């Protein structure tokens, strides 16, 4: 009997200790953790939201959000200022090399590096074609020490994404030299007006090469191939040396959000290499869309298709998508909207200037209380002014959200456009 009592007491004591330990774990997984740790631990993202005065959900840490927006705006200003002195390449041929070796299965990026890379590459491909409608992308994967061409250079984002999502398997070692040799053979055939680029998303800490990788780097430099690397583990000397020799950029992602930012920085066209900055005249064809009831053989897929597609104005061959090069006569085929969407890279919008704090705090200056773009209030609670920017041409005030949207997506100032459209009306009067 005493033995049973002792066991019961021990069980109660152990149960109490277990309960205390569970409580400690709950506290560790809750308030004591950082926001990014809570997002990975239990994905309670709603805990970082609060309701503002207008009934909208906003992040609790507004300072972090504003700081991130401000950094993005500074990058936009610096890139815009550089365009007045640096010529950009609008016709790009980019190969994305994705490391699917054993290291891509690591789980320091949740749920794994491979899944995170695939998700953000999908967003990058769509953003790339939105900003570079005349360019082409190809996908290459590395695993088991072998580089495999997943998709050829093309202008269809859906075909690239579909091919990538069907080959998400990681195994073996990574070979940087095999990947560079493969893309070098493809990019070496690109015309002189095309800008040859390679973006490597590297997860491994080493490279298993069959030969001298330094000779391959020299060949890439000789062929004017710009190589950039985004690492997911740590800085590697050979990757840094590759980027320095070819004029690319090398960076290491700290977390998933940082990786997304680094990847999207490669979407706008980079400065043109000096040898390619010479003006060239390029022959282009503007094909007409084929009738719906016509059956013809597609030169892309080598099969008969009914309806849709485009007809080459030179050889009358049929192609499925634009932009592309005719497989029969080699003519570059584009549409007029593609050229129009590339216009803003040549003549970017003027960067907005930040309104000085002295002007905001001066009661004699009656500043507008709402943003000209979204019509949201530019005042804090208590009628205190918030950070705002102003267009130097039309002097209209905008919030940071509209500033980023105008410079990154819209590429037109609403205030300047409204003034331009109102001038003919005033003249008629």
């Amino acid at each position: 009997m005493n033995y049973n009592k002792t066991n019961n007491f021990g069980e109660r004591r152990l149960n109490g200790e277990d309960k205390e330990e569970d409580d400690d774990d709950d506290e560790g997984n809750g308030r004591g953790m950082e926001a990014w740790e809570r997002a990975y631990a239990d994905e309670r993202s709603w805990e970082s939201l609060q309701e503002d005065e207008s009934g909208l959900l906003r992040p609790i840490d507004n300072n972090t959000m504003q700081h991130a927006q401000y950094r993005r705006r500074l990058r936009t200003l610096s890139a815009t200022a550089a365009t007045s002195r640096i010529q950009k390449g609008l016709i790009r041929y980019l190969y994305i090399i994705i490391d699917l070796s054993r290291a891509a299965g690591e789980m320091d990026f949740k749920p794994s590096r491979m899944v995170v890379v695939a998700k953000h590459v999908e967003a990058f491909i769509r953003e790339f074609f939105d900003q570079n409608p005349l360019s082409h992308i190809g996908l290459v994967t590395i695993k088991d020490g072998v580089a495999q061409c997943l998709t050829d250079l093309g202008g269809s984002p859906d075909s690239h994404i579909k091919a990538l999502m069907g080959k998400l398997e990681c195994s073996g070692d990574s070979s940087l030299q095999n990947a560079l040799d493969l893309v070098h053979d493809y990019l070496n055939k690109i015309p002189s007006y095309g800008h040859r680029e390679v973006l490597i998303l590297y997860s491994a800490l080493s490279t298993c090469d069959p030969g001298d990788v330094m000779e391959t780097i020299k060949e890439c430099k000789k062929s004017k191939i710009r190589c950039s690397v985004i690492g997911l583990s740590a800085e590697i000397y050979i990757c840094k040396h590759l980027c320095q020799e070819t004029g690319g950029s090398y960076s290491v992602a700290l977390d998933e959000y940082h990786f997304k930012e680094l990847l999207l920085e490669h979407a706008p066209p980079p400065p043109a290499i000096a040898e390619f900055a010479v003006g060239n005249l390029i022959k282009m064809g503007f094909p007409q869309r084929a009738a719906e009831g016509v059956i013809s053989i597609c030169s892309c897929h080598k099969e008969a298709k009914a309806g849709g597609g485009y007809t080459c104005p030179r050889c009358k061959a049929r192609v499925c998508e634009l932009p592309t090069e005719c497989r029969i006569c080699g003519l570059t085929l584009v549409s007029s909207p593609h050229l129009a969407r590339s216009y803003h890279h040549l003549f970017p919008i003027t960067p907005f200037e930040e309104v000085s704090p002295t002007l905001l705090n001066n009661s004699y200056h009656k500043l507008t209380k709402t943003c000209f773009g979204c019509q949201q209030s530019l005042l804090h609670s208590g009628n205190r002014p918030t950070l705002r920017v102003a267009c130097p041409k039309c002097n209209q005030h905008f919030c940071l959200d509209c500033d980023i949207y105008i410079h990154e997506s819209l590429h037109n100032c609403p205030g300047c456009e409204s003034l331009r459209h109102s001038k003919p009306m005033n003249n008629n009067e």
Side-chain angles (χ1 to χ4, degrees):
M1 185 177 296
N2 293 335
Y3 177 74
N4 293 334
K5 289 182 178 178
T6 304
N7 284 343
N8 292 336
F9 175 76
E11 290 177 0
R12 287 196 300 271
R13 185 165 57 85
L14 290 175
N15 291 337
E17 290 178 357
D18 291 340
K19 186 175 181 180
E20 290 177 359
E21 291 177 359
D22 292 338
D23 293 338
D24 293 341
D25 292 340
D26 291 338
E27 291 178 1
N29 292 331
R31 302 293 180 183
M33 300 179 67
E34 299 291 341
W36 65 272
E37 292 177 320
R38 290 203 308 270
Y40 279 157
D42 52 12
E43 297 183 355
R44 296 178 180 176
S45 57
W46 60 86
E47 293 181 355
S48 60
L49 298 176
Q50 66 179 358
E51 187 176 357
D52 60 9
E53 301 88 310
S54 59
L56 301 177
L57 291 178
R58 300 288 185 185
I60 293 178
D61 192 4
N62 289 324
N63 293 330
T64 303
M65 182 183 65
Q66 290 182 0
H67 182 63
Q69 291 176 343
Y70 188 67
R71 286 191 296 110
R72 289 176 61 192
R73 195 172 71 85
L74 288 181
R75 285 200 301 270
T76 303
L77 295 178
S78 61
T80 307
T83 54
S84 59
R85 302 182 301 271
I86 299 177
Q87 182 177 342
K88 291 191 173 184
L90 300 183
I91 303 180
R92 306 167 62 187
Y93 293 86
L94 171 67
Y95 267 105
I96 304 176
I97 300 177
I98 303 175
D99 181 8
L100 293 182
S101 63
R102 188 185 305 110
E106 295 290 335
M107 301 177 63
D108 49 353
F109 287 74
K110 299 297 182 181
S112 68
R113 294 179 183 176
M114 178 183 64
V115 176
V116 170
V117 168
K119 179 178 70 173
H120 292 298
V121 165
E122 177 183 358
F124 170 78
I125 291 175
R126 299 190 184 280
E127 179 68 17
F128 178 87
F129 284 115
D130 183 65
Q131 297 200 34
N132 307 271
L134 301 178
S135 302
H136 297 76
I137 277 183
L139 298 180
V140 172
T141 58
I142 320 173
K143 63 179 178 180
D144 297 323
V146 179
Q148 179 185 3
C149 183
L150 200 59
T151 60
D152 295 326
L153 288 170
S156 173
D158 293 330
S159 61
H160 295 306
I161 294 171
K162 183 179 179 181
L164 175 62
M165 295 307 174
K167 296 289 184 180
L168 289 182
E169 296 177 357
C170 53
S171 61
D173 297 322
S174 178
S175 176
L176 188 62
Q177 184 185 12
N178 287 337
L180 291 176
D181 284 336
L182 181 63
V183 298
H184 175 267
D185 293 338
Y186 286 118
L187 292 177
N188 216 20
K189 305 173 185 177
I190 297 301
S192 60
Y193 60 79
H195 295 264
R196 307 164 186 178
E197 301 175 45
V198 175
L199 177 59
I200 305 173
L201 308 179
Y202 208 68
S203 298
L205 285 171
S206 61
T207 173
C208 183
D209 300 323
D212 188 1
V213 67
M214 294 297 182
E215 293 297 327
T216 304
I217 294 176
K218 291 180 181 178
E219 291 296 326
C220 292
K221 181 180 180 180
K222 184 179 178 181
S223 299
K224 303 296 187 297
I225 300 176
R226 186 198 306 270
C227 300
S228 300
V229 180
I230 299 178
L232 281 85
S233 51
E235 183 176 299
I236 308 173
Y237 169 76
I238 191 62
C239 294
K240 186 175 183 180
H241 178 72
L242 169 66
C243 298
Q244 290 175 346
E245 289 295 313
T246 59
S249 62
Y250 179 48
S251 51
V252 178
L254 303 177
D255 50 31
E256 182 179 350
Y257 180 76
H258 188 219
F259 173 74
K260 178 183 177 181
E261 280 192 335
L262 294 175
L263 188 59
L264 292 179
E265 285 179 0
H266 293 273
I273 300 176
E275 288 79 0
F276 292 163
V278 181
N280 292 319
L281 295 178
I282 306 171
K283 284 188 177 182
M284 290 187 176
F286 296 88
Q288 294 182 350
R289 187 169 181 84
E292 294 297 331
V294 176
I295 299 177
S296 57
I297 298 177
C298 174
S299 61
C300 309
H301 303 88
K302 306 296 189 297
E303 60 183 19
K305 291 189 176 182
Y310 301 88
T311 303
C312 175
R314 175 186 287 175
C315 64
K316 307 304 179 183
R318 172 200 165 110
V319 294
C320 292
E321 297 169 338
L322 297 178
T324 186
E325 289 186 0
C326 180
R327 301 295 180 91
I328 307 301
C329 63
L331 181 65
T332 301
L333 303 178
V334 297
S335 63
S336 54
H338 290 151
L339 293 178
R341 284 164 53 192
S342 302
Y343 181 82
H344 69 269
H345 291 301
L346 301 176
F347 303 97
I349 183 175
T350 306
F352 292 168
E353 299 174 353
E354 183 177 341
V355 181
S356 62
T358 55
L359 186 62
L360 292 176
N361 298 326
N362 193 341
S363 59
Y364 293 100
H365 290 83
K366 294 183 179 181
L367 301 177
T368 177
K369 299 181 179 180
T370 58
C371 170
F372 186 82
C374 62
Q375 300 298 315
Q376 295 292 326
S377 176
L378 293 175
L379 301 177
H380 276 306
S381 56
N383 291 331
R384 291 183 294 107
T386 61
L387 181 64
R388 63 177 73 185
V389 292
C391 175
K393 294 183 178 180
C394 64
N395 295 324
Q396 296 292 348
H397 288 203
F398 298 90
C399 62
L400 286 182
D401 290 333
C402 288
D403 182 23
I404 296 172
Y405 173 71
I406 289 170
H407 284 88
E408 294 186 357
S409 301
L410 189 60
H411 305 295
N412 283 304
C413 174
C416 297
E417 291 295 320
S418 62
L419 290 177
R420 189 178 68 176
H421 290 293
S422 63
K423 284 182 180 179
M425 296 179 59
N426 295 333
N427 293 336
N428 292 335
E429 292 177 359

